[in-house]
Amino acid sequence: MAEDDATGTQDRRRTARLVLVLLGAVLLGYPALFFGWYLTAEHVTARITSCASDAPHPLRCPTHGDWRMADGSTRSGRIFIQTPAPSDVGRTLPARATTDWAVAEG
């Protein structure tokens, strides 16, 4: 019986250790990947071309736009911005971008 208790305790410790390792990997890995991308993405000037105003919150809307990459190609896609509003359409802003999406700086 004591042997069963020892085995159960070891199993619980092993499971707890695995959960902590996985949680640590997620908590440290995601920010490292995001900021790694952010710091290496191209600096561009993005222009907001649309902002769907039928979003759940009346002062926020998903923004889309276009930007020019360093190779001269023009790309378009979602632009992630802190507090978007329908009045932002036509506005240009500094951003960091990939070929598919951009994040406003600041």
Side-chain angles (χ1 to χ4, degrees):
M1 195 133 198
E3 191 173 302
D4 288 340
D5 288 342
T7 303
T9 301
Q10 287 176 344
D11 287 343
R12 283 192 298 273
R13 285 183 181 167
R14 188 176 299 124
T15 301
R17 191 175 304 128
L18 178 62
V19 168
L20 286 174
V21 166
L22 291 174
L23 185 61
V26 169
L27 290 176
L28 295 175
Y30 176 75
L33 289 174
F34 176 79
F35 286 108
W37 166 85
Y38 185 79
L39 295 173
T40 59
E42 290 188 32
H43 291 274
V44 299
T45 298
R47 183 174 55 92
I48 297 174
T49 58
S50 71
C51 186
S53 59
D54 60 346
H57 191 286
L59 298 177
R60 295 188 181 144
C61 55
T63 53
H64 292 82
D66 52 43
W67 54 90
R68 185 176 305 270
M69 301 297 285
D71 65 2
S73 63
T74 299
R75 300 296 182 161
S76 62
R78 178 81 191 263
I79 300 174
F80 294 92
I81 182 172
Q82 187 74 25
T83 53
S87 60
D88 288 331
V89 174
R91 180 178 156 213
T92 60
L93 53 116
R96 295 193 185 223
T98 68
T99 57
D100 300 314
W101 51 284
V103 177
E105 292 184 344

